[in-house]
Amino acid sequence: MASWRQRPALVASCILGLSTAFVWSRYYKSAAFERPFHFSILTFLFSGLALPAHAKYIIRTDPRYVPLSDGSPFTKTILADIIKSPPRLRSLSPSFVLLLLCVVARTILYWRTIRTIHCSWDGLQAFLPFFLALYDFLELRPVRLPRNGHDAQGRAGASAALTRYAVIALVWGLAATDTLLLSERTTGAICPASPHIERFIPLAQLVTLALDAVVISHVARLRQGGDGRFGAWGLLGTLFLASAAILTFLGVWSSFDQANFRWNVLLSRLAVGDLIGSSLAVTVGIVSAVHLLGYVHPTSVGVLLTGSSIFVYLQRMILDGTMIKVWSNWWGLVTGVGLFLGAGTLLHLGRALALQLPASSGDGIVSRNRYGLLALIVFLLVLCQTLLMSPGGFWPTPAPIIADARRESDAWIAGAGKSRTLEAAVSEYRRRYGVPPPPNFDKWYEFAVFVESPIIDTFDQIHADLLPYWGTLPSVLRQRTTHLLEHPSLSMGGIIIEDGKVDISPHIHGTHRWMMDVTKDMVAPFARWLPDMQLAFNLDDECRVSVPFDRINAYAEEGLKAKARLATKQRLLSFSGAQDPPWVKEYLGADESIWTQQSPWFVGRSKSQIFYEWISPTCPADSAVKKYRWWNRKAECLECSAPHMTDGFVSNWTSSGDLCHQPDLAYLHGVLLSPSAMAPSHTLFPVFSQSRLYNFNDILYPSPWNFGEKVEYENSKTIPWDQKLNSVYWRGASSDGFAVHGSWQTFLRARFVHMASLAKSSVRAKSLFNLMPSRRDLGNSLRSVLTSSASSSSSPSPSSRPLQASQSVVPAQTHLAINVSFVGNFTRCDERDCNAEHITFYGSPTAQAPPSLDFQEHWHHRHLVDLDGAAFSGRFLPFLKSGSLPYRAALFRTWWEERVHAWRHFVPLDVRLGDLWGALDYLGGPGLAEADEIAQAGRDWAMRSLRKEDMQVYMFRLLLEWGRLLDDQREDLGFSL
């Protein structure tokens, strides 16, 4: 009989552990957990149906079961049993109401936690066994005098056992939470300092755990109370169905708001699949847990649940190389041993509680706590796994990536300008691109040679940008260009080239007129060699053209066919004198009413998330974006960054901009989360933009900001590398998005400034027991500040003033100061978010905002960080020319991407910023010589290849290629010797 009772418990334990492990392995990647109400309703519905069905199966397989009647089929009685009140429902109504309130309340708290997950504390689930023991201890309070001494003695013994268990569970919870904190890989998402509800999320987590403990304890009491044939199972089935009904009502009620309606009703296929799959997995876990609670103490179920989830988490951290760093520290190793040994001890004590045995029964330590010994063995095995399987070793550096980048960059530069004659350039053009060069290529070559361009042959960026347009008819390209200029409300500026002269379209806002003036100056020197054309330039920062994957591939395929036909032509023509139909010019004389015309092809998406509407459709079906959603904006998705990272550093800068393998970035960049001005189109309009996201199809051209020298490096302000401060410097505004509903808390610039202000705790491992700095730490920090101040005082730089509150110091062993701050008031935000940003970054609502500093102040610092704003940052080219070392974290790409090389001319950073401190720790310390080499190589190359003349060389060639595309005879056009 004992084996008959133990076998189901063992099976239920295995199923519960596996289902918990499965759910946690997909927890951050399943769209189900991003929608707590949808997920809970579906889970409770499945559980409400599954529990009675499982009860029927258990009862029928019980050897003691005797059918009462030969009546209705098995499946038809399930719903009838649910509908009918269970035998003890009336007597247990207070428990039923309590459980119902607990289930609904914990769902609401879980929803609130998910909405502000970045304010949560990882690892708090490890305190579930402690809450279970605490609740059971409180339930032992006597309600009447015992009838004999045995009752009193038994109650006292149970109380002592629970007290012992609670103490060990508390210590285990601390060890588990500390281990998770030490291994935490965060994106730097900000929990605001202002007194908002976000600050109470950890308390909500603890309350949720307390509610879970109440539910589990009550379910165990029901299961072990001997309810007869159906009682406990039927009661729980009714409980879950009632919970689903209440949550459904709340969800329907919230759907009266339009934004909530879209979120609640308009579900993607991926979200529906994840909801069903995850709900079924959790339902299996609930059924297994309910079954298991009939055999074991609830604390054992708590340990199994939390232990399985933590073990899955540790496996993920082992495989990405995090745990080897944690366990290489003595405190991390102590908490690791405590985590495993504590789990084994809790299982041992939980078994004793279930059997009502004293925890010290047995003869030796092995027999007393076989679970603890087994846990230590498991820890040793996991430690060996960590040593053998962790990528990158204990503390990887970017040195191997730097060496590879140096070789690749030198080879690219040598190949990009190898043609020394026009004949060689024409031959190389045909070899590279498979078609003859455009008409007037000889004039372009003469211009490029005259200005001493180091790049003659490699313009892959232009050909990649224009390939889809080869698949579109020239007449359609002209019509679409005219459409853009006929609708100035789209924020487009026009350049009209006719008979070798350049004019500007009249319908441009005065604040943006300078962009077209500068573009005209850029084009004017070579306009006489260009065919007549009209060009539409994007005046907004954000990019505009996002064509779905299948459609852009079809354009590209047609483009390749068109170019193949051109490649076969023997007799090549020059540009045509006229096109059919000709360019439309009526809009040039239109009155002010033209501003009221709206284009049906572009839609406004300002202040709203654009990722799943404008990025996801551009990705192939097998991409990560189409397979899962990484909704936790706090946790770094290492799987998402793996395609472009090696040993924790960016090794493929081009791939790092591709959003198709990075679904987590939906919440980590202002432009993707809440752009200030976004009016995109899914149609292939020929829009010229200064920068674009990798997944957009705008045509890149040299920025008027850089050509017009809006910010520039002054050679007279040159400071040698050895006289620069070994410090990280950044000043700027929060311009990368419009902050609404707390969206700024995950913007790139906000995360960077916040991480810099917490630089000490960001570089060092975090711990529950290391929140207060030691006297040694304070001494090291003071010495570092004094060192920085002494260095500053020897320089005439404004940096000699004392460090402000927004500055921090990295541990003294690196001697690297952090000088980072926002400047000015926050303006791209609603009132609530503006106040929250001001308090978070400046300390109080009334604090004075730091003023802007002279741009030339940058050159006093060795390490300069460049971050995306609303689009690309216009400061990067001056940074390159300064002789300081630029660090770049960006999704926006510009015209010069192919000629400026990561780790050779600048330091690339992942936009999650998880590699920031590793790169600074190396290049500001042991790799200082390599930092100097990269800075000087970047300066020398920028002075050769990123001059205003180089921008004109690029623009000249781009417009020759574009002029051929607009010509009705384009498949016959080309240059030949």
Side-chain angles (χ1 to χ4, degrees):
M1 184 65 66
S3 62
W4 167 79
R5 292 180 59 86
Q6 291 174 0
R7 190 179 299 116
L10 180 60
V11 172
S13 299
C14 293
I15 294 176
L16 178 59
L18 290 174
S19 62
T20 303
F22 173 79
V23 170
W24 273 92
S25 68
R26 287 186 45 80
Y27 184 60
Y28 293 154
K29 298 168 63 174
S30 174
F33 302 106
E34 188 180 24
R35 301 172 181 269
F37 264 70
H38 294 77
F39 167 70
S40 298
I41 291 170
L42 204 55
T43 300
F44 294 158
L45 176 62
F46 290 163
S47 299
L49 298 175
L51 286 169
H54 182 71
K56 292 287 187 180
Y57 171 76
I58 292 298
I59 292 171
R60 287 179 176 270
T61 56
D62 189 335
R64 302 168 297 177
Y65 170 69
V66 178
L68 297 177
S69 67
D70 176 89
S72 59
F74 171 75
T75 54
K76 291 184 178 180
T77 63
I78 296 175
L79 289 177
D81 284 329
I82 295 175
I83 295 171
K84 296 177 182 178
S85 295
R88 296 184 60 196
L89 180 57
R90 187 174 296 107
S91 62
L92 293 176
S93 56
S95 294
F96 181 85
V97 173
L98 175 63
L99 288 173
L100 184 63
L101 290 175
C102 288
V103 170
V104 173
R106 70 96 53 213
T107 302
I108 295 174
L109 289 173
Y110 175 60
W111 165 79
R112 180 67 254 186
T113 301
I114 293 298
R115 286 196 62 184
T116 47
I117 190 70
H118 48 286
C119 292
S120 65
W121 289 5
D122 287 345
L124 289 185
Q125 70 268 25
F127 289 98
L128 178 59
F130 168 75
F131 279 103
L132 285 166
L134 182 62
Y135 184 77
D136 269 16
F137 178 82
L138 296 176
E139 283 290 295
L140 284 175
R141 291 173 300 176
V143 295
R144 60 181 183 271
L145 292 175
R147 289 174 295 179
N148 54 59
H150 294 290
D151 289 342
Q153 184 178 359
R155 187 178 297 276
S159 177
L162 281 171
T163 301
R164 186 185 304 109
Y165 186 97
V167 171
I168 295 177
L170 180 61
V171 173
W172 183 70
L174 292 171
T177 302
D178 209 51
T179 298
L180 267 62
L181 284 175
L182 290 168
S183 60
E184 189 178 46
R185 298 281 296 262
T186 72
T187 60
I190 304 164
C191 191
S194 52
H196 291 124
I197 192 172
E198 292 94 334
R199 305 299 296 180
F200 297 97
I201 292 302
L203 177 61
Q205 290 178 273
L206 293 175
V207 174
T208 302
L209 281 177
L211 294 175
D212 289 340
V214 172
V215 172
I216 293 173
S217 295
H218 273 264
V219 171
R221 184 185 304 170
L222 290 172
R223 284 283 291 119
Q224 298 173 16
D227 280 354
R229 180 173 178 268
F230 191 77
W233 297 94
L235 176 66
L236 295 174
T238 306
L239 167 70
F240 283 118
L241 291 176
S243 301
I246 294 174
L247 294 175
T248 301
F249 171 78
L250 295 176
V252 171
W253 183 267
S254 70
S255 296
F256 286 106
D257 179 85
Q258 184 176 359
N260 287 340
F261 178 83
R262 293 183 61 187
W263 177 255
N264 291 342
V265 177
L266 303 180
L267 304 182
S268 66
R269 181 180 303 177
L270 175 65
V272 172
D274 282 349
L275 280 168
I276 295 174
S278 297
S279 297
L280 288 173
V282 174
T283 297
V284 170
I286 289 175
V287 174
S288 302
V290 171
H291 187 97
L292 187 60
L293 285 170
Y295 300 93
V296 301
H297 196 271
T299 54
S300 296
V301 173
V303 173
L304 182 58
L305 287 169
T306 55
S308 299
S309 64
I310 292 172
F311 186 78
V312 171
Y313 176 89
L314 291 179
Q315 287 297 308
R316 186 166 64 244
M317 294 296 103
I318 287 170
L319 296 178
D320 65 37
T322 301
M323 291 312 301
I324 194 169
K325 300 172 185 176
V326 173
W327 286 341
S328 65
N329 176 275
W330 72 269
W331 179 249
L333 194 61
V334 168
T335 59
V337 173
L339 172 64
F340 282 82
L341 181 59
T345 303
L346 290 178
L347 286 174
H348 170 69
L349 294 178
R351 179 174 177 271
L353 287 174
L355 298 176
Q356 297 298 310
L357 295 174
S360 59
S361 62
D363 295 328
I365 186 172
V366 175
S367 61
R368 278 204 309 269
N369 193 355
R370 288 174 295 177
Y371 291 105
L373 182 60
L374 180 62
L376 284 177
I377 295 174
V378 172
F379 173 74
L380 292 175
L381 292 176
V382 171
L383 185 60
C384 292
Q385 176 197 12
T386 303
L387 296 173
L388 295 174
M389 300 183 63
S390 296
F394 285 92
W395 299 104
T397 71
I401 302 176
I402 294 174
D404 291 341
R406 185 184 300 116
R407 290 190 296 270
E408 293 173 3
S409 176
D410 291 346
W412 189 96
I413 293 173
K418 65 180 181 180
S419 295
R420 302 300 179 185
T421 63
L422 175 61
E423 292 77 7
V426 171
S427 176
E428 182 64 15
Y429 185 104
R430 282 183 171 272
R431 186 191 70 81
R432 284 176 179 263
Y433 305 117
V435 293
N440 294 338
F441 183 79
D442 56 333
K443 307 303 181 184
W444 173 85
Y445 180 81
E446 291 175 6
F447 182 84
V449 171
F450 177 75
V451 300
E452 299 181 345
S453 171
I455 298 176
I456 298 296
D457 301 308
T458 304
F459 288 87
D460 296 349
Q461 182 73 62
I462 292 176
H463 289 267
D465 286 355
L466 300 187
L467 178 59
Y469 295 92
W470 276 93
T472 307
L473 293 175
S475 59
V476 173
L477 293 178
R478 297 195 299 272
Q479 291 169 2
R480 290 179 177 175
T481 299
T482 301
H483 178 86
L484 294 171
L485 299 180
E486 288 176 335
H487 295 82
S489 61
L490 292 175
S491 192
M492 296 287 174
I495 290 288
I496 292 92
I497 300 174
E498 189 171 3
D499 297 329
K501 297 180 181 179
V502 185
D503 289 315
I504 301 173
S505 65
H507 311 295
I508 301 174
H509 282 299
T511 55
H512 293 87
R513 173 77 187 196
W514 69 269
M515 295 176 63
M516 292 298 93
D517 290 335
V518 173
T519 304
K520 177 182 177 180
D521 293 341
M522 190 191 313
V523 174
F526 50 82
R528 56 181 170 161
W529 306 114
L530 299 175
D532 293 351
M533 66 176 76
Q534 298 178 11
L535 303 167
F537 291 88
N538 177 21
L539 300 179
D540 287 340
D541 293 324
E542 294 83 355
C543 38
R544 310 298 289 274
V545 183
S546 169
V547 183
F549 179 78
D550 293 339
R551 200 183 308 167
I552 200 68
N553 270 7
Y555 280 126
E557 290 176 5
E558 289 299 319
L560 290 173
K561 294 177 183 178
K563 296 179 75 172
R565 291 191 291 270
L566 171 59
T568 62
K569 301 298 175 62
Q570 298 298 321
R571 182 173 176 272
L572 299 173
L573 305 178
S574 187
F575 293 117
S576 303
Q579 309 299 331
D580 185 24
W583 287 102
V584 175
K585 300 179 182 178
E586 285 76 6
Y587 70 91
L588 295 174
D591 57 23
E592 291 301 306
S593 63
I594 194 174
W595 288 94
T596 63
Q597 298 180 17
Q598 300 297 316
S599 171
W601 299 101
F602 291 80
V603 295
R605 287 295 181 265
S606 300
K607 306 178 187 178
S608 60
Q609 190 187 62
I610 69 168
F611 192 90
Y612 295 105
E613 184 180 2
W614 299 97
I615 299 298
S616 182
T618 68
C619 298
D622 60 348
S623 63
V625 164
K626 297 293 184 68
K627 291 181 178 179
Y628 61 88
R629 292 181 65 159
W630 188 276
W631 54 267
N632 189 338
R633 60 202 69 188
K634 174 186 177 182
E636 185 178 351
C637 177
L638 297 177
E639 181 179 344
C640 302
S641 60
H644 62 263
M645 304 278 284
T646 300
D647 295 339
F649 300 99
V650 175
S651 57
N652 189 329
W653 174 249
T654 301
S655 179
S656 70
D658 185 357
L659 295 170
C660 289
H661 67 268
Q662 305 180 78
D664 59 322
L665 296 189
Y667 298 103
L668 297 180
H669 199 290
V671 171
L672 299 175
L673 189 57
S674 181
S676 296
M678 173 63 75
S681 174
H682 282 312
T683 302
L684 189 65
F685 276 89
V687 177
F688 289 78
S689 294
Q690 303 173 76
S691 66
R692 68 157 188 256
L693 296 171
Y694 183 95
N695 301 71
F696 275 64
N697 305 105
D698 303 49
I699 302 168
L700 295 175
Y701 78 103
S703 169
W705 181 272
N706 293 130
F707 190 84
E709 298 178 335
K710 288 290 186 178
V711 291
E712 191 57 30
Y713 172 73
E714 298 177 13
N715 286 320
S716 60
K717 301 290 182 68
T718 300
I719 299 176
W721 174 265
D722 57 1
Q723 294 181 24
K724 293 176 183 283
L725 299 174
N726 193 30
S727 55
V728 182
Y729 187 82
W730 185 87
R731 289 292 187 277
S734 178
S735 60
D736 41 340
F738 194 95
V740 291
H741 306 303
S743 58
W744 63 271
Q745 296 163 19
T746 55
F747 285 1
L748 174 60
R749 291 189 172 193
R751 289 187 291 114
F752 168 72
V753 174
H754 187 66
M755 291 172 69
S757 69
L758 301 175
K760 186 173 182 178
S761 60
S762 295
V763 177
R764 271 193 340 192
K766 294 171 289 183
S767 170
L768 281 174
F769 306 96
N770 196 27
L771 297 178
M772 296 298 294
S774 65
R775 286 180 294 178
R776 178 181 178 183
D777 293 331
L778 292 174
N780 287 339
S781 297
L782 179 61
R783 284 193 296 273
S784 184
V785 171
L786 293 175
T787 301
S788 298
S789 300
S791 301
S792 300
S793 63
S794 64
S795 170
S797 165
S799 296
S800 59
R801 62 185 178 278
L803 290 174
Q804 299 176 354
S806 62
Q807 302 173 8
S808 303
V809 179
V810 179
Q813 63 267 24
T814 64
H815 302 291
L816 183 69
I818 309 295
N819 194 331
V820 169
S821 175
F822 280 124
V823 295
N825 292 315
F826 296 96
T827 57
R828 294 194 179 193
C829 42
D830 62 19
E831 183 178 358
R832 178 184 183 275
D833 287 277
C834 285
N835 291 335
E837 288 186 87
H838 198 97
I839 294 172
T840 298
F841 294 109
Y842 298 153
S844 72
T846 58
Q848 189 71 25
S852 299
L853 301 177
D854 182 2
F855 186 70
Q856 305 304 314
E857 163 67 11
H858 286 84
W859 320 141
H860 294 281
H861 307 270
R862 288 178 178 171
H863 309 274
L864 304 179
V865 180
D866 185 68
L867 306 167
D868 278 342
F872 82 110
S873 167
R875 298 183 285 186
F876 183 72
L877 297 191
F879 284 2
L880 272 178
K881 297 175 182 179
S882 69
S884 295
L885 180 62
Y887 296 72
R888 187 178 179 214
L891 291 179
F892 281 93
R893 298 296 186 252
T894 62
W895 69 277
W896 42 258
E897 296 297 333
E898 64 184 346
R899 64 177 67 191
V900 179
H901 305 142
W903 294 112
R904 180 55 170 159
H905 305 130
F906 71 97
V907 178
L909 296 176
D910 185 67
V911 293
R912 299 164 188 82
L913 300 178
D915 55 343
L916 171 63
W917 303 119
L920 286 171
D921 187 51
Y922 179 74
L923 295 170
L928 205 56
E930 289 173 293
D932 184 11
E933 180 183 350
I934 296 172
Q936 298 313 311
R939 171 185 168 85
D940 294 343
W941 180 239
M943 293 298 188
R944 290 179 57 203
S945 67
L946 296 173
R947 305 163 298 159
K948 295 177 66 172
E949 295 84 352
D950 298 301
M951 299 180 197
Q952 289 179 307
V953 168
Y954 187 94
M955 192 67 166
F956 191 175
R957 182 147 170 173
L958 171 63
L959 294 184
L960 283 180
E961 299 283 2
W962 184 244
R964 174 163 62 178
L965 271 172
L966 294 173
D967 199 301
D968 290 326
Q969 305 297 319
R970 67 186 182 189
E971 293 183 15
D972 296 307
L973 300 188
F975 173 81
S976 60
L977 295 169

